[in-house]
Amino acid sequence: APRPRNMATSKYKYCPMCRAPMVIKEDEEGKMRSSCSAPCGFTHYNNPTPVVGAIAQRTEDNSVVLVRSIGWPEKFFGLVTGFLEPQEDPKEGVIREVKEELGVHNARIERMVGVYPFKKMNQIIVVYHVWVTGEISIDKRELAGYKTVAVDKLTPWPQGTGKAVRDWLISKRSTGAARQLKSSL
């Protein structure tokens, strides 16, 4: 039978401990989980994946750099994001991602913007405001393109890192328009 997308069912078809088939069953908390059909006791909890994101603002013109990943629609752009490496501090991870994806040598964290659930991808995204300096040379193995957007022209999107952009813009503006922006998302 087809398995629901966002359950703990998609990662393992067979138990990584004993190789028995995985089945969906109710755990002791009453939640449906992907569990081993044999008595080894393995349960896959499908914990969210930690991701870092950067509102990368250029020191040269104060614009924000948005990127388009390979495979995304032509007009779809988002923040620089990436997975944390094992044992990596989120601050180190966001600087690494900015340098890798944008090809800049100078990146400095201004502040953490917030932590945002991205349920569709089962991720927790830690977003920082990062100042970048220098010429942008994207990693073409990961990105299909980039664009820069003036801060006053930047508008948030409803999913994923868009809420971080919203919160960052609100923190930068003190007008009624910013309050309207918060209530619109």
Side-chain angles (χ1 to χ4, degrees), residues 1-2 6 20 25-26 28 43 46 56 60 69 74 83 100-101 105 109-110 113 119 142 152 161 174 185:
N6 289 330
K25 61 183 178 181
E26 192 172 329
E28 57 278 351
T43 299
N46 199 27
E60 292 86 352
S69 289
E74 189 78 24
F83 298 108
E100 285 176 5
E101 292 192 9
H105 298 290
I109 294 173
E110 176 74 19
V113 175
K119 292 178 184 179
E142 290 192 41
D152 63 341
T161 57
S174 60
L185 292 177

Side-chain angles (χ1 to χ4, degrees), residues 30-85:
K31 295 180 180 178
M32 300 304 288
R33 305 245 190 229
S34 182
S35 302
C36 181
S37 61
C40 86
F42 177 79
T43 299
H44 180 233
Y45 289 96
N46 199 27
N47 295 326
T49 303
V51 173
V52 289
I55 297 172
Q57 189 172 12
R58 293 174 48 82
T59 58
E60 292 86 352
D61 60 7
N62 288 326
S63 65
V64 172
V65 181
L66 299 179
V67 296
R68 183 167 57 88
S69 289
I70 293 172
W72 285 5
E74 189 78 24
K75 294 182 179 181
F76 189 82
F77 289 82
L79 300 182
V80 171
T81 57
F83 298 108
L84 282 176
E85 298 289 339

Side-chain angles (χ1 to χ4, degrees), residues 99-116:
K99 288 180 175 181
E100 285 176 5
E101 292 192 9
L102 300 183
V104 296
H105 298 290
N106 296 309
R108 177 183 54 82
I109 294 173
E110 176 74 19
R111 67 178 183 90
M112 185 174 84
V113 175
V115 178
Y116 301 88

